[in-house]
Amino acid sequence: MTLEVALFAVIATATAGSAVGVVASRNVVRAAVWLLFTLVGVSLLYFLLGAEFVGAAQLIVYVGGTLVLVVFGVMLTAQGPLQSLKTRPTEWAVGGVLGAALFGLLAAVVSGATGPPGEDRPLPGAGPLGLGFLGLTDSPVSYLLPFEIVSVHLLVVLIGAAYLARAKRRAKL
Amino acid sequence: MSALGLPPFLVLSAFLFACGVVCVAARRNAIGVLMGVELILNAANLNFVAFARFNPAFRLEGQVFALLVVVLAAAEAAVALAIILNFYNNHATVDVDRADELKG
């Protein structure tokens, strides 16, 4: 049992356990904390796979940005005693059966997958990744257009979210 | 790393995806549904990075698309939370079953 296998076992168990916590916890604040552990576990898996830049981006953007946003949403929509909306047991049963069937199907398909006989080189780091975005690599494709589209999309989202969530003036009656 | 291989990552990703689907299907709090969507996106992202590692043809592409998905997920969360806040301001609840005004 090599170090990688042991590390993967520990991190994967923690990640899967906290994903179950996200689903099963009644209180939405606790679900947010479980989601924090899941996201950190996924970023650790990226580090384990050798994709340091993606792991760092996951930590910065997801854990530092998105999750804070979710927690703010929880706080701004807290409803006191009604905070935990109960799900009916039949809905839990249907959802659980659906999820179990989906996981069984996906796992059955996936467990037979064998990667191509891999040369075990490390993944390209942040430098080659940036050059790939700019299209300065040997490969004929460049990702400059998707990069620009995402940039403009972020600007649109910024304006749109600020417009949607703005404090409204009271309508004159 | 070669001792580990691709399938364990794919099975873990499938588990995260199933958890996200259950979260979307069973929760009534809109923010809980949003958390399920985040789980689903993370499962897809884990697949991207795992294939980038274990398939030589996708060394760059897997990471590029993983980064794009991370950024777009952040944008999606911002817009979804703005919509949820707007709905809460108008209806004083975040129960997704109460958002049925478009029913004919």
Side-chain angles (χ1 to χ4, degrees), chain A residues 115-124 129 137-141 143, chain B residues 6 47-65:
Chain A
E119 66 242 75
D120 210 16
R121 286 182 297 145
L123 280 173
L129 210 55
T137 49
D138 299 334
S139 78
V141 288
Y143 297 98
Chain B
L6 186 56
N47 267 2
F48 273 129
V49 179
F51 274 105
R53 172 78 199 196
F54 291 106
N55 195 335
F58 299 139
R59 304 190 67 76
L60 200 57
E61 284 81 357
Q63 291 193 75
V64 163
F65 282 106

Side-chain angles (χ1 to χ4, degrees), chain A residues 10-163:
Chain A
V10 172
I11 299 173
T13 311
T15 308
S18 37
V20 170
V22 173
V23 176
S25 60
R26 302 254 171 205
N27 192 332
V28 75
V29 180
R30 288 191 184 160
V33 176
W34 283 118
L35 186 67
L36 168 73
F37 290 127
T38 310
L39 295 177
V40 171
V42 172
S43 84
L44 289 178
L45 283 173
Y46 293 161
F47 286 124
L48 189 65
L49 281 164
E52 290 93 1
F53 187 70
V54 182
Q58 164 100 359
L59 273 183
I60 294 168
V61 177
Y62 253 117
V63 183
T66 308
L67 201 66
V68 171
L69 213 59
V70 168
V71 172
F72 263 103
V74 170
M75 287 195 300
L76 289 173
T77 59
Q79 300 170 327
L82 289 174
Q83 193 178 19
S84 57
L85 291 167
K86 293 280 183 293
T87 304
R88 282 182 287 276
T90 50
E91 290 175 342
W92 274 122
V94 172
V97 168
L98 176 71
L102 195 60
F103 173 66
L105 180 69
L106 285 175
V109 170
V110 138
S111 56
T114 53
E119 66 242 75
D120 210 16
R121 286 182 297 145
L123 280 173
L129 210 55
L131 292 180
F133 267 120
L134 291 176
L136 296 177
T137 49
D138 299 334
S139 78
V141 288
S142 96
Y143 297 98
L144 192 56
L145 182 63
F147 185 79
E148 291 298 328
I149 290 175
V150 166
S151 311
V152 176
H153 179 264
L154 278 181
L155 178 66
V156 171
V157 161
L158 186 68
I159 298 171
Y163 175 75

Side-chain angles (χ1 to χ4, degrees), chain B residues 17-85:
Chain B
F17 185 83
C19 280
V21 167
V22 173
C23 204
V24 169
R27 278 198 178 271
R28 294 179 61 197
N29 192 326
I31 295 177
V33 173
L34 185 64
M35 290 179 196
V37 175
E38 302 288 339
L39 276 183
I40 291 174
L41 288 170
N42 264 285
N45 238 352
L46 187 58
N47 267 2
F48 273 129
V49 179
F51 274 105
R53 172 78 199 196
F54 291 106
N55 195 335
F58 299 139
R59 304 190 67 76
L60 200 57
E61 284 81 357
Q63 291 193 75
V64 163
F65 282 106
L67 283 170
L68 293 184
V69 169
V70 167
V71 175
L72 290 179
E76 169 257 331
V79 172
L81 279 173
I83 291 173
I84 292 170
L85 280 187

